[in-house]
């Protein structure tokens, strides 16, 4: 719609925003009318109309089998569009049109904003299945007529009330029609069932909806507006009511077709099971975060015990081995600490990498500088945990074996995310400017325990590849190629 409006019309951004607001609401008008809606906007030169949006009803058969968006119609070909645009009134005159042997009643509704008519809604009703309307259908049609008059007057949609069409109740979910005093004139079967879920034993018709709702679900604690006022439909609001183990979502729409308040539409939906599942997920998420928190605490306890044991060992080799184990356990604990603060099992790994760099740099304080370029991005927990250990081993190996006592240097970690969404890759390079690899060194066979751990984790758990190469000028370069899940755009 943005492209069509900006390409073919002289409407400004505020006008376009109004059309977006209308389109976010007009599924309701389409369902209540049992009709297709097509929004036509006059072109810049005033000689044609361009169709910028279309909506089909959920409550009846469509009048258009094809997509109408982008179609152009010369001015004069559809007189009702001209009359609605020029005169600013709803036009219903004329005989039904025949489209592919289907009779269609056509009406035109001007779209007004601040006294200006921006375009025209063509309402097209398939008459092939018309029958004697029920009380439900009559209520739908009357409500649709009121909304159409409000659109023509520029009082609907309501400014600042952007509606999420997927989350808000629809006409078929449940509908209540109130009079000007808030008394129920009609309640659809689905609406009545939703109130029975809250504990209502009687019928709704003839009862004040606000007071009835407040009696079923009295508010707990201070609220900005009383529940009775919200449910009376005097102002456009969306809210939820919970009582008797049930939860219903309500949306109030004041009706002012001729300027004065004549009543309200209340759309509602039983969301009891949806909220129950959401609460179960919240509880599950909290449990998972608590598990990660406890695992982190236990790992830190293990690290503290190993550190105490290292202090009591006189053998330098044994002390060094325990200190390496402390760092390995610590790298895993960092991942679990990050996971304990997230709602899902994905982590921003850059923060973890920086903490691992800082932890391993403690081996040679002030002697060797560590730094990181590029970003790891968001990784799954099953990738982050082994990768943190791999990074710890590679950094520890570079610091311990790449530099002699008292030597200074740099270790740099470089990361690049690439590949397609179906085959995303994480390329990692750990480069030092130390003494380099010994002659005849084979990284796939030789190496200490740390390199054996790296090979096992990279090739076994991560499904990637690992290689050690001499640096371009000096030192050693380790290259990892790991498949990862693509980040969301």
């Amino acid at each position: 719609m943005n492209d069509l409006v900006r390409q073919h019309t002289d409407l400004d951004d505020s006008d376009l925003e109004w059309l977006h607001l209308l389109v976010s609401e007009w599924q309701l008008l389409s369902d209540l009318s049992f009709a297709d809606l097509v929004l036509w906007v006059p072109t810049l030169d005033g000689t044609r109309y361009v169709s910028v949006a279309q909506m089909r009803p959920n409550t009846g058969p469509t009048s258009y089998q094809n997509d109408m968006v982008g179609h152009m119609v010369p001015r004069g070909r559809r007189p009702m569009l001209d009359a609605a645009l020029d005169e600013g009134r709803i036009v219903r005159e004329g005989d039904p049109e025949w489209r592919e042997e289907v009779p269609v009643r056509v009406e035109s509704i001007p779209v007004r904003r601040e006294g200006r008519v921006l375009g025209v809604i063509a309402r097209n009703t398939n008459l092939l299945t018309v029958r004697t309307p029920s009380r439900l259908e009559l209520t739908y049609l009357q409500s649709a007529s009121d909304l159409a008059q409000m659109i023509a007057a520029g009082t609907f949609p309501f400014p600042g009330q952007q509606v999420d069409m997927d989350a808000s109740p629809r006409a078929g979910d449940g509908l209540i029609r109130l009079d000007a005093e808030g008394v129920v004139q009609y309640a659809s079967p689905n609406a009545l069932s939703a109130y029975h879920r809250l504990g209502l034993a009687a019928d709704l018709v003839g009862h004040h909806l606000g007071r009835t709702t407040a009696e079923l679900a009295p508010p707990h604690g201070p609220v900005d507006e009383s529940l009775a006022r919200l449910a009376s439909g005097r102002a456009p609001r969306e809210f939820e009511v919970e009582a008797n183990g049930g939860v219903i979502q309500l949306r109030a729409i004041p009706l002012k077709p001729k300027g004065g308040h004549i009543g309200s539409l209340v759309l509602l939906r039983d969301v009891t099971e949806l909220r129950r599942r959401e609460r179960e997920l919240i509880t599950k998420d909290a449990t998972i975060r608590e598990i990660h928190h406890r695992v982190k605490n236990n790992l830190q306890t293990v690290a503290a015990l190993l550190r105490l044991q290292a202090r009591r060992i006189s053998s330098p080799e044994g002390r060094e081995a325990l200190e390496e184990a402390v760092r390995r356990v610590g790298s895993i604990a960092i991942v679990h600490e990050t996971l304990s603060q997230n709602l899902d099992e994905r982590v921003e790994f850059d923060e973890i990498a920086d903490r691992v760099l800082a932890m391993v740099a403690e081996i040679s304080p002030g002697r060797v500088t560590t730094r990181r370029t590029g970003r790891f991005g968001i990784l799954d927990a099953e990738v982050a945990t082994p990768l943190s250990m791999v990074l710890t081993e590679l950094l520890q190996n570079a610091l311990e074996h790449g530099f002699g006592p008292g030597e200074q240097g740099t270790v740099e970690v470089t990361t690049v995310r690439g590949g397609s969404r179906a085959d995303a890759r994480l390329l990692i390079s750990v480069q030092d400017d130390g003494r380099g690899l010994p002659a005849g060194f084979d990284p796939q066979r030789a190496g200490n325990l740390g390199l054996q751990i790296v090979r096992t984790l990279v090739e076994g758990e991560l499904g990637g590849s690992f290689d050690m190469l001499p640096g371009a000028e000096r030192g050693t370069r380790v290259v990892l190629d790991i498949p990862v899940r693509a980040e969301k755009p």
Side-chain angles (χ1 to χ4, degrees), residues 97-150:
E97 297 180 3
W98 287 84
R99 299 176 188 161
E100 299 179 356
E101 300 183 355
V102 175
V104 177
R105 183 175 64 242
V106 181
E107 303 166 88
S108 296
I109 305 166
V111 177
R112 191 184 304 274
R113 174 180 177 266
E114 296 180 353
R116 296 167 47 242
V117 177
L118 307 182
V120 179
I121 295 175
R123 181 163 55 177
N124 304 268
T125 306
N126 187 326
L127 300 177
L128 198 60
T129 58
V130 170
R131 62 186 186 278
T132 303
S134 64
R135 178 74 187 281
L136 172 66
E137 291 168 333
L138 288 172
T139 303
Y140 272 31
L141 292 172
Q142 180 58 54
S143 301
S145 176
D146 294 335
L147 289 177
Q149 292 182 59
M150 293 171 65

Side-chain angles (χ1 to χ4, degrees), residues 197-274:
R197 187 75 175 262
L198 294 183
L200 180 70
D203 195 357
L204 273 172
V205 176
H207 292 80
H208 190 279
L209 184 67
R211 288 195 289 269
T212 300
T213 305
E215 290 170 0
L216 290 171
H220 301 284
V223 292
D224 294 336
E225 296 181 77
S226 70
L227 188 58
R229 178 173 173 79
L230 285 172
S232 296
R234 300 289 300 186
R237 292 287 189 275
E238 193 165 323
F239 57 99
E240 288 188 2
V241 175
E242 182 172 358
N244 198 37
V247 184
I248 62 173
Q249 181 184 13
L250 300 97
R251 183 186 174 210
I253 303 173
L255 297 177
K256 302 177 181 179
K258 297 181 180 180
H261 180 75
I262 66 165
S264 305
L265 272 184
V266 178
L267 307 178
L268 64 153
R269 177 172 56 183
D270 186 344
V271 294
T272 304
E273 294 305 314
L274 177 63

Side-chain angles (χ1 to χ4, degrees), residues 306 309-310 313 317-327:
L306 291 173
Q309 188 67 36
I313 292 181
E317 293 83 2
R319 187 182 306 110
E320 183 178 343
L322 287 177
E323 289 174 349
E324 288 182 358
V326 168
R327 284 187 285 274

Side-chain angles (χ1 to χ4, degrees), residues 20 24 57 88 140 158 183 211 249 279 363-364 393 449:
H20 275 293
S24 75
Y140 272 31
F158 304 110
V183 176
R211 288 195 289 269
Q249 181 184 13
R279 288 167 183 166
I363 300 174
S364 55
E393 297 298 334
L449 175 62

Side-chain angles (χ1 to χ4, degrees), residues 469-481:
L469 308 166
E473 298 181 359
R474 58 175 297 180
T476 305
R477 181 168 175 254
V478 181
V479 180
L480 308 177
D481 184 353

